[in-house]
Amino acid sequence: MSKQILSAAKRQSKKRTSSLATTTSPRAKRAKNALPLPGTQMSPADFEASLALPTLDLPSAALEQEINDTVIHTNRAPIVVAFVVQMLKYTMPSQPPSSRLSLAQAVMSQGAQSKALNIGLKSGKPAEKEGWGEGQPKIRVMGQQLHVMRRWGYDCHDCGTHEEATDAQSVKQEEKPEGKNVPANVERADEFDSQETLKGDPTSPPHSSSPNLDVKPQHYKQQPQTPDNDTEPPLWALDLEKLRSTSNTSPLLSSPTNNYSPNLPIHPPNSARNYLLKSFTPAPATTPKTEPKTETKKAKAVKESEEKEHNLALLLHALDLVYGSWIEIIGPEELNRRAWGWYVRVRPAVEAGVHGWGGKGEVRLKDVLALRR
């Protein structure tokens, strides 16, 4: 009898141990790459470093050859995000990666809302048309007018922002083929064509050790509502749709007391980053590859993830080459205007209307490189 009781106790102990392993292991895995919760101590430099996008350390000739040979399979929305993130390195070089990712997500999300209304997937008016965001500063990015919030007190001088901008500018020194001019009369983004709305990450990104970085300092004098890209502090893009869906008050936010409220919802940069990392798969092969029978599901998932990040790095470098070839010729304002037309020329082909919503297609990175001056 005592042996039976002892055996039963051992079996129960094993069950408890197994249960703990399955619940704590995924959490530990997520914690490795997760951003810290709001209120935790994290320097701006560390925060910006956590948002770094993949790059490739290859000789320029070899890297460009690989770009020319690469075809990716994706939908239109992440292409928009990639175009905007890289463009902002040239048009708003003082903005850190977190701001660029937030603004890029806003461009894509706002465009997707407009597209959904145009093709009948949604009804009503966009939040902006109902007055949400009234009184907040506005900027125009790749044809979209975005409401933003200034991140006062966010000191990111040591975040590598200016160094990165200098590196981006140097890309123009790469050798470029002739005969690649792009017409200036490109289409504007009034009829935006991204196809997915990123879901906001419930975990807001940290601002820094100060709890009130988004609040206007009391000594600050009211500035014009159109930010100057060269002198503005880091920005967050406001999520007006989320603001409308979660607010029980009037849409007008123009009173001085709440004009710089830290409680306004933003487009979190980590959502845009994660979206980019998982969106660019290799184009399907004409003849299916024979997978090794010994490859586990976990190993296959790791391999696929690495391929997606590699393709993202290739796309971002191709865009750097494009923007770097034009910036000193046409300047930031014109670059901002033309970027939408360049995106239109290389976006994946999908069906029109509702049937094409979220549809995927192929993007040849050599077509991206052909946009260079």
Side-chain angles (χ1 to χ4, degrees):
M1 185 68 177
S2 60
K3 289 183 178 180
Q4 293 176 347
I5 294 174
L6 181 60
S7 298
K10 288 181 177 180
R11 287 195 299 271
Q12 186 65 22
S13 175
K14 287 182 179 180
K15 288 181 180 179
R16 288 178 179 174
T17 303
S18 176
S19 176
L20 280 173
T22 56
T23 55
T24 59
S25 179
R27 289 181 183 177
K29 185 176 181 180
R30 285 196 299 269
K32 182 178 179 180
N33 296 318
L35 294 176
L37 294 173
T40 58
Q41 300 294 322
M42 189 178 194
S43 70
D46 288 340
F47 176 47
E48 299 300 333
S50 73
L51 296 170
L53 294 171
T55 58
L56 296 174
D57 186 15
L58 292 172
S60 58
L63 183 54
E64 186 165 336
Q65 183 59 52
E66 186 174 0
I67 292 173
N68 275 308
D69 296 339
T70 299
V71 182
I72 58 178
H73 188 68
T74 185
N75 60 301
R76 291 178 173 181
I79 295 291
V80 172
V81 176
F83 261 77
V84 177
V85 165
Q86 294 304 86
M87 182 195 73
L88 291 173
K89 290 168 63 175
Y90 300 86
T91 60
M92 301 179 70
S94 64
Q95 293 296 309
S98 59
S99 294
R100 296 199 298 264
L101 285 163
S102 179
L103 294 169
Q105 181 179 345
V107 170
M108 189 280 298
S109 180
Q110 189 167 298
Q113 294 287 336
S114 176
K115 182 68 174 182
L117 290 170
N118 289 340
I119 64 177
L121 285 178
K122 290 185 65 176
S123 59
K125 296 180 179 180
E128 182 185 16
K129 298 294 184 182
E130 293 185 352
W132 296 97
E134 189 72 27
Q136 290 296 130
K138 292 180 286 187
I139 62 173
R140 183 165 290 274
V141 178
M142 213 166 94
Q144 289 290 320
Q145 183 171 268
L146 308 178
H147 289 75
V148 297
M149 179 167 58
R150 298 179 175 98
R151 300 161 65 184
W152 295 112
Y154 187 78
D155 184 3
C156 200
H157 292 296
D158 297 328
C159 299
T161 305
H162 299 289
E163 179 182 349
E164 183 181 274
T166 302
D167 291 342
Q169 295 280 14
S170 68
V171 174
K172 68 180 184 300
Q173 300 297 335
E174 298 283 349
E175 186 176 1
K176 307 175 183 65
E178 297 179 359
K180 302 291 185 179
N181 291 337
V182 180
N185 55 339
V186 293
E187 178 185 354
R188 294 300 298 271
D190 299 327
E191 294 293 331
F192 204 79
D193 205 14
S194 63
Q195 298 191 350
E196 287 185 0
T197 302
L198 290 177
K199 295 180 179 179
D201 194 315
T203 302
S204 299
H207 303 291
S208 84
S209 57
S210 173
N212 295 313
L213 293 181
D214 291 331
V215 181
K216 177 178 61 175
Q218 291 185 357
H219 64 273
Y220 174 72
K221 296 181 180 180
Q222 184 67 37
Q223 297 294 327
Q225 293 298 292
T226 302
D228 184 331
N229 293 347
D230 295 330
T231 60
E232 275 297 310
L235 303 173
W236 285 135
L238 293 178
D239 188 344
L240 300 184
E241 297 297 329
K242 186 175 182 180
L243 177 63
R244 176 171 62 178
S245 65
T246 58
S247 178
N248 297 319
T249 61
S250 166
L252 297 180
L253 301 172
S254 57
S255 66
T257 57
N258 58 16
N259 192 30
Y260 287 82
S261 170
N263 299 319
L264 297 178
I266 65 166
H267 287 281
N270 43 316
S271 291
R273 178 181 181 271
N274 293 338
Y275 188 49
L276 287 173
L277 290 175
K278 66 181 183 182
S279 294
F280 302 107
T281 60
T286 53
T287 55
K289 294 181 180 180
T290 304
E291 297 292 340
K293 294 183 179 180
T294 57
E295 189 176 38
T296 64
K297 290 184 178 180
K298 182 177 180 180
K300 185 178 180 180
V302 170
K303 180 181 177 182
E304 290 176 350
S305 178
E306 290 175 348
E307 287 180 335
K308 292 176 182 177
E309 291 190 18
H310 187 83
N311 288 337
L312 171 59
L314 292 173
L315 172 60
L316 295 178
H317 188 78
L319 289 169
D320 262 337
L321 292 174
V322 173
Y323 293 135
S325 72
W326 283 98
I327 184 62
E328 290 196 356
I329 306 300
I330 61 177
E333 184 176 348
E334 182 65 13
L335 187 71
N336 188 21
R337 189 185 73 82
R338 293 194 190 189
W340 169 255
W342 293 337
Y343 153 74
V344 169
R345 293 180 62 174
V346 301
R347 66 188 178 185
V350 298
E351 292 186 62
V354 176
H355 296 294
W357 180 264
K360 293 186 176 183
E362 293 185 355
V363 175
R364 300 179 184 278
L365 296 191
K366 68 179 181 181
D367 294 339
V368 178
L369 281 182
L371 299 171
R372 288 183 297 183
R373 180 177 177 273

